[in-house]
């Protein structure tokens, strides 16, 4: 069967299946389970109306349970078994992680990423949003700042490999060092600080995202409050930090938590730039060290990542709801 015919058949089956599901589900509900006739007609109509939303929600909840909840439970159960998956060892994999120096390094590096990247990306995004709104060519500047968002993490990493190249004729850092008479070095092999060189890549990518969201929030601030502050004698810094920033505080928190969730899952940059070497390991790259070799440990690391991400996601959802209200 040709791909075009296969696609058309899939669409027909999918759309037709949805229509058939909702039609027959309503038919069974109204005619068989809660028929609107007899002495209990009124009560049956109320019951049918109470049940009907759950019929519409059921396919989504089933798919969510199948593709989200089941893998989480399955991963946790797998993390309680040994490398081959044929012997129950309880929390031994988690105990092994706690005694591993590599895991502690990865966890510490992840904390550095969580502290530094969301704060820096949000700060530069807010700064860019404020400054570009004041420029005639602000839209051009915004497009240039937002452009890295269109680049994959691997692509961005390859670009920054040139920036960090040890050859002074290629790498900007070593070109500056050569100008100052210093010997060339590999920034990605400098312990501790190489983590920050990697973080700069993600900040470069995410600043555009923060700028777009925060720019929209800044434009939503009522002009009356800014004009009143100007009349009261406030300078531009006071207007920005004491008038504008407090009014978009909830949006700033949403941007910050969204980038935090992304940071806790980032893998490509570290894997492409250093492969986790030179003490740049983070939890996702550490998990990859055990993938296909020790699924018990790998799923234990995955579960630790999920537990770490979960509070931030809950906070993010609450902030998003507060922002919508």
């Amino acid at each position: 069967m040709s791909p075009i015919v296969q696609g058309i058949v899939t669409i027909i089956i999918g759309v037709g299946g949805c229509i058939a599901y909702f039609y027959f589900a309503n038919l069974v509900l109204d005619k068989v389970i809660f028929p609107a006739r007899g002495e209990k007609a009124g009560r049956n109509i109320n019951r049918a109306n109470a049940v009907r939303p759950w019929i519409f929600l059921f396919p989504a909840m089933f798919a969510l349970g199948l593709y989200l909840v089941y893998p989480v439970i399955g991963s946790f159960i797998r993390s309680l078994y040994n490398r081959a998956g044929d012997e129950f060892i309880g929390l031994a994999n988690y105990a092994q992680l706690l005694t591993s120096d590599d895991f502690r390094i990865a966890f510490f590096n992840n904390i550095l990423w969580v502290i530094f990247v969301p704060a820096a990306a949000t700060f530069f995004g807010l700064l860019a949003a404020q400054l570009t709104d004041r420029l005639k060519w602000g839209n051009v500047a915004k497009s240039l700042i937002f452009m890295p968002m269109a680049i994959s993490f691997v692509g961005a990493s390859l670009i920054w490999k040139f920036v960090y190249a040890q050859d002074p004729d290629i790498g900007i850092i070593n070109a500056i060092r050569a100008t100052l008479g210093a010997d060339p070095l590999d920034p990605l092999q400098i312990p501790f600080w190489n983590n920050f060189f990697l973080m700069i890549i993600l900040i470069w990518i995410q600043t555009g995202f923060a700028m777009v969201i925060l720019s929209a929030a800044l434009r939503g601030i009522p002009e009356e409050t800014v004009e009143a502050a100007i009349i009261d004698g406030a300078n531009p810094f006071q207007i920005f930090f004491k008038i504008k920033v407090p009014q978009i505080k909830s949006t700033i928190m949403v941007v910050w938590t969204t980038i935090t969730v992304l940071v806790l899952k980032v893998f490509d940059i570290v894997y492409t730039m250093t492969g986790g070497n030179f003490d740049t390991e983070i939890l996702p790259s550490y998990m990859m060290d055990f993938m296909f070799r020790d699924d018990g440990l790998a799923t234990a690391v995955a579960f630790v990542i999920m537990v770490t991400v979960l509070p931030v996601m809950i906070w993010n959802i609450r902030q998003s709801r507060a922002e919508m209200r």
Side-chain angles (χ1 to χ4, degrees), residues 75-274:
S75 296
F76 178 69
I77 293 173
R78 181 63 185 87
S79 70
L80 303 178
Y81 284 78
N82 67 347
R83 176 193 300 256
D86 55 2
E87 181 184 352
F88 181 78
I89 57 174
L91 299 176
N93 285 325
Y94 295 94
Q96 183 176 338
L97 290 179
L98 292 176
T99 57
S100 167
D101 291 337
D102 291 337
F103 176 78
R104 284 198 287 267
I105 291 173
F107 197 81
F108 174 73
N109 288 340
N110 248 119
I111 293 174
L112 286 180
W113 279 72
V114 167
I115 293 173
F116 186 68
V117 175
T122 306
F123 171 76
F124 287 120
L126 182 60
L127 191 65
Q130 172 66 14
L131 295 179
T132 52
D133 281 342
R134 292 172 168 270
L135 298 174
K136 289 183 179 178
W137 47 279
N139 289 333
V140 177
K142 283 182 179 176
S143 300
L144 293 174
I145 296 171
F146 187 75
M147 201 172 291
M149 279 290 294
I151 304 174
S152 68
F153 287 176
V154 175
S157 302
L158 293 176
I159 292 172
W160 281 83
K161 261 186 178 293
F162 290 107
V163 177
Y164 296 149
Q166 195 167 357
D167 187 345
D169 294 330
I170 300 175
I172 295 174
I173 293 176
N174 280 305
I176 296 172
R177 288 178 60 84
T179 305
L180 299 175
D183 294 330
L185 53 78
D186 187 349
L188 300 179
Q189 294 189 25
I190 304 174
F192 183 72
W193 297 108
N194 49 7
N195 288 289
F196 291 92
F197 286 117
L198 297 179
M199 294 177 204
I200 289 172
I201 301 173
L202 190 56
I203 294 169
W204 178 66
I205 295 172
Q206 289 300 310
T207 296
F209 162 75
M211 177 197 66
V212 170
I213 304 297
L214 296 173
S215 178
L218 286 172
R219 288 174 182 271
I221 295 175
E223 287 292 332
E224 292 81 2
T225 58
V226 178
E227 291 171 358
I230 294 172
I231 293 172
D232 288 341
N235 61 43
F237 286 99
Q238 289 174 323
I239 293 173
F240 181 69
F241 287 108
K242 294 185 177 181
I243 303 297
K244 292 185 174 180
V245 170
Q247 292 192 62
I248 63 168
K249 184 180 176 183
S250 58
T251 307
I252 292 174
M253 292 306 298
V254 169
V255 171
W256 183 82
T257 51
T258 302
I259 298 175
T260 301
V261 172
L262 175 71
V263 166
L264 288 169
K265 297 185 295 183
V266 73
F267 160 76
D268 320 52
I269 293 173
V270 172
Y271 201 73
T272 305
M273 296 294 284
T274 64

